[in-house]
Amino acid sequence: MKTPIRILGIAGSLRRLSYNRAALRAATQLAPKSATVETFELDGIPAFSQDQEQNPPAKVTELKRRIREANAILFVTPEYNWSVSGVLKNAIDWASRPHGDSAWNGKAAAIMGASTGAIGTARAQNHLRQILVYLNMFPINQPEVLISHAIDRFDQEGNLTDALTRERIIGLLQNLVDWAQRIGPK
Ligand SMILES: Cc1cc2nc3c(=O)[nH]c(=O)nc-3n(C[C@H](O)[C@H](O)[C@H](O)COP(=O)(O)O)c2cc1C
């Protein structure tokens, strides 16, 4: 039996009742048998300063270790003013430094996101894809998981109740696993 593909899921919201954190929780339950989805919470990471990049906070060191241990990354991004949240960008920046020691380099990735708006983080996801180019990451393209009108897709406890969204997340994770196996370990 093959070793399961390890996916690290990172949601770009600190909000207690965050739809994106809820979507990531759903992904941990919808992973194919050949994979695990673990999560990393971004709370407690200070604002990036290049003065500290040679001696980063412990939480950043932990983030970089968890990224390196994973075969693939699942980004679950909110949309803030047509882009990714500052919290997510801040974590991305920390883990990309110092120069030559980026934890992201060469990783397979998938992107999904939830917003209360009508196009479900499409603009944020597009921005994130641009960022991943510089990070030398390899995101899969499909299926698109754009969770629009999030209030209608989750119940009061934050369970993802929308059947089509659940199916899409299953498809995304399966494609990510296949892709991570194809591009090999990193
Ligand atoms: C600063 C800020 C900017 C936002 N900008 C957008 C936006 O550009 N597009 C959008 O669809 N929703 C936008 N929203 C609404 C978010 O989609 C909504 O707050 C969502 O619940 C955030 O994700 P979370 O539930 O995971 O925290 C914005 C919210 C905040 C707080």
Side-chain angles (χ1 to χ4, degrees):
M1 217 176 98
K2 280 190 191 161
T3 319
I5 292 289
R6 293 179 69 179
I7 299 170
L8 182 66
I10 301 173
S13 175
L14 306 181
R15 199 167 72 84
R16 193 169 56 85
L17 299 176
S18 159
Y19 295 118
N20 286 282
R21 292 175 62 232
L24 176 53
R25 276 199 306 280
T28 65
Q29 293 152 12
L30 297 172
K33 285 205 169 56
S34 53
T36 58
V37 178
E38 299 161 30
T39 60
F40 189 89
E41 296 282 346
L42 297 181
D43 59 300
I45 299 183
F48 176 77
S49 164
Q50 203 175 353
D51 292 337
Q52 275 132 44
E53 69 176 13
Q54 299 291 344
N55 189 18
K59 182 108 191 206
V60 171
T61 304
E62 189 196 344
L63 171 61
K64 290 181 77 172
R65 179 179 59 77
R66 295 282 303 280
I67 294 165
R68 287 188 163 120
E69 283 172 1
N71 303 105
I73 307 297
L74 173 64
F75 291 104
V76 189
T77 184
E79 182 166 289
Y80 277 9
N81 299 315
W82 284 30
S83 188
V84 298
S85 61
V87 160
L88 180 57
K89 182 62 163 56
N90 187 54
I92 289 173
D93 292 343
W94 268 118
S96 71
R97 299 296 298 178
H99 181 72
D101 191 37
S102 169
W104 306 110
N105 186 32
K107 291 279 175 196
I111 301 172
M112 62 187 215
S115 83
T116 50
I119 57 172
T121 73
R123 294 160 296 214
Q125 292 196 26
N126 204 33
H127 263 187
L128 182 53
R129 279 182 188 276
Q130 278 183 279
I131 295 165
L132 300 194
V133 173
Y134 189 72
L135 297 174
N136 192 37
M137 295 183 79
F138 300 100
I140 57 167
N141 300 321
Q142 287 176 0
E144 293 179 322
V145 182
L146 304 164
I147 309 173
S148 60
H149 304 297
I151 193 166
D152 299 331
R153 321 250 179 234
F154 297 85
D155 68 16
Q156 301 257 330
E157 279 76 48
N159 299 303
L160 179 62
T161 49
D162 186 72
L164 184 59
T165 305
R166 293 175 71 84
E167 255 175 56
R168 290 201 167 180
I169 292 174
I170 290 169
L172 184 76
L173 293 173
Q174 186 58 62
N175 286 356
L176 179 59
V177 168
D178 294 346
W179 181 228
Q181 277 164 341
R182 268 173 68 189
I183 70 174
K186 186 74 198 179

